Amino acid sequence: MHAAPRKTKAVVLVTVDGLRWQEIFGGIDPRLMDEKSAGMKEPGAAALRERLAKDTPEARREALLPFFWKELAPRGIVLGNANKGSSVRVTNAFRVSYPGYSEILTGRAQDDVIKGNDEIRNPTPSILEFLREKLSLKRSQVALFASWNAFHFIAEHTPGSIAINAGYEPADPAASPRAKELSALQFAARTPWDEARHDYVTFELALDYLRREHPRLLYISFDETDDWAHGRRYDRVLDAIQYFDHTLQTLWITLQSMPEYRDQTTLVITCDHGRGDTLADYDSHGAKVQGADQIWLAIIGPDTPARGELTDTEEYHQRDIAPTILELFGIPAASYAGVQGRAIGVAKRF
């Protein structure tokens, strides 16, 4: 038996790798903004600090993520401010990217198989594959664009089930002129990392696809926040966060400009893992890093109450994202075999 009809006709899932809840809810970190070892003495860092440093966490976060906090958050719910009694945690033991993304896309931890970032095939069909079959969608209607190439293994149990463009991947010969232009650009302007391209390329490819193919389910995954954090370049992390906010604005305006999406699309925005909370380990995550299990989650759409930041909530988990997306499409989470999480913001009202 299907759940009650929803107003949501499309879902856009957006993840931003390793973006700490501390920056989401508190903006630029006062402990890091003057740290030479964090790249905050590099050219341009002073101007960045001057623009983002404010007296309160609320003012700092609005300076860093103005569109997210002023426009998106009031239209939905935001969870995960551990300083205000709201916790969202990963349940996998490893607190690194593949286990986190798999937990998002399958609604479960698979610690017996997925133990790190090795490129192994996901043992469970993702909700992307499940929804394509359940909703009788064409392959083109379920699409994923990611900066990290490992998503070819993370998002598909059966290769070729959905449309994926991840990492340094050449454009299809039948792609649009814009996609071919971006494909050439990714190879001409490479990142310092062989396995991940610039987020700009990923987002622009996704935007081009959205405008042409009108997918019912689109997943966009950003990566540079994590890469620059590992490089202890907090200045570049802040730049990447600001770019992320810009993409949310562009994405929202685009969705609202298209009759296929206007007022019938839900955005689900989150990250794969947290990070440390000290000067020594803000750049790190993993099973032994305290606090790396703490993440955040935002849901904005016609079936979600417009409550903004929620405080003093019960604890939620990364595994709850998959059943939430299923129920947004009116599909009971229990129909997805083995799911461990529960729907957020759909089955209940805050």
Side-chain angles (χ1 to χ4, degrees):
M1 184 175 179
H2 282 245
R6 307 294 179 190
K7 296 178 182 178
T8 297
K9 303 302 180 186
V11 170
V12 179
L13 171 63
V14 181
T15 58
V16 55
D17 202 302
L19 175 49
R20 301 191 309 169
W21 68 268
Q22 289 91 332
E23 275 74 29
I24 288 291
F25 293 100
I28 187 172
D29 192 326
R31 298 166 300 173
L32 292 172
M33 64 183 182
D34 293 313
E35 277 293 307
K36 181 178 180 180
S37 65
M40 294 306 291
K41 298 297 182 182
E42 297 290 334
L48 187 67
R49 181 173 55 249
E50 183 178 349
R51 188 169 69 251
L52 300 179
K54 307 294 180 182
D55 292 335
T56 67
E58 291 77 15
R60 290 195 297 271
R61 73 190 189 187
E62 284 194 7
L64 181 62
L65 292 146
F67 186 78
F68 179 86
W69 281 111
K70 295 177 182 179
E71 300 294 335
L72 284 185
R75 300 172 186 268
I77 59 172
V78 186
L79 297 161
N81 189 345
N83 289 333
K84 294 184 177 181
S86 179
S87 176
V88 183
R89 293 179 51 250
V90 305
T91 64
N92 71 79
F94 303 103
R95 305 174 187 177
V96 296
S97 290
Y98 190 151
Y101 290 126
S102 178
E103 188 172 332
I104 290 169
L105 291 176
T106 66
R108 71 203 76 189
Q110 302 182 88
D111 289 355
D112 56 333
V113 178
I114 301 172
K115 302 179 180 182
N117 290 334
D118 292 341
E119 292 183 344
I120 61 172
R121 182 64 55 190
N122 199 318
T124 300
S126 71
I127 58 163
L128 307 177
E129 295 172 288
F130 178 79
L131 280 167
R132 182 196 165 190
E133 180 179 354
K134 200 74 173 176
L135 298 174
S136 301
L137 299 175
K138 296 179 181 179
R139 179 174 177 268
S140 62
Q141 290 297 290
V142 182
L144 185 157
F145 290 83
S147 296
W148 189 31
N149 60 9
F151 273 94
H152 286 285
F153 298 89
I154 300 170
E156 287 184 320
H157 173 70
T158 303
S161 297
I162 62 174
I164 296 181
N165 186 296
Y168 288 100
E169 184 170 350
D172 186 276
S176 71
R178 175 60 173 160
K180 291 179 180 178
E181 176 188 22
L182 291 162
S183 178
L185 177 64
Q186 71 181 327
F187 294 106
R190 297 182 68 96
T191 70
W193 313 285
D194 291 337
E195 68 277 8
R197 67 189 173 198
H198 283 297
D199 288 340
Y200 172 83
V201 174
T202 295
F203 179 66
E204 291 295 325
L205 282 169
L207 199 62
D208 175 70
Y209 191 92
L210 175 70
R211 288 166 171 157
R212 290 186 295 104
E213 300 292 341
H214 306 160
R216 291 279 304 281
L217 180 53
L218 175 65
Y219 180 10
I220 307 172
S221 178
F222 297 107
D223 190 74
E224 289 186 79
T225 42
D226 186 71
D227 292 327
W228 288 119
H230 282 304
R232 296 188 69 86
R233 286 295 301 273
Y234 191 59
D235 58 327
R236 293 294 180 85
V237 173
L238 296 170
D239 286 337
I241 295 171
Q242 291 185 297
Y243 175 68
F244 165 64
D245 188 69
H246 168 74
T247 67
L248 292 178
Q249 181 177 18
T250 302
L251 177 62
W252 180 257
I253 291 172
T254 301
L255 291 169
Q256 289 298 96
S257 72
M258 300 173 68
E260 298 87 352
Y261 297 107
R262 185 186 307 115
D263 298 329
Q264 53 188 345
T265 300
T266 294
L267 289 180
V268 179
I269 312 168
T270 189
C271 66
D272 53 336
H273 55 72
R275 318 190 80 84
D277 189 35
T278 71
L279 295 179
D281 64 8
Y282 77 91
D283 60 321
S284 302
H285 56 92
K288 296 182 180 180
V289 178
Q290 186 175 358
D293 60 333
Q294 291 288 338
I295 60 169
W296 53 274
L297 171 64
I299 307 172
I300 300 97
D303 296 302
T304 303
R307 292 284 305 280
E309 179 186 2
L310 299 184
T311 61
D312 298 317
T313 68
E314 60 185 291
E315 183 170 87
Y316 295 97
H317 300 98
Q318 192 173 55
R319 67 189 180 193
D320 297 333
I321 296 169
T324 297
I325 293 173
L326 293 175
E327 295 210 2
L328 282 166
F329 280 111
I331 297 174
S335 65
Y336 181 48
V339 68
Q340 297 170 352
R342 56 197 168 87
I344 301 172
V346 178
K348 67 173 289 185
R349 293 291 172 179
F350 291 92

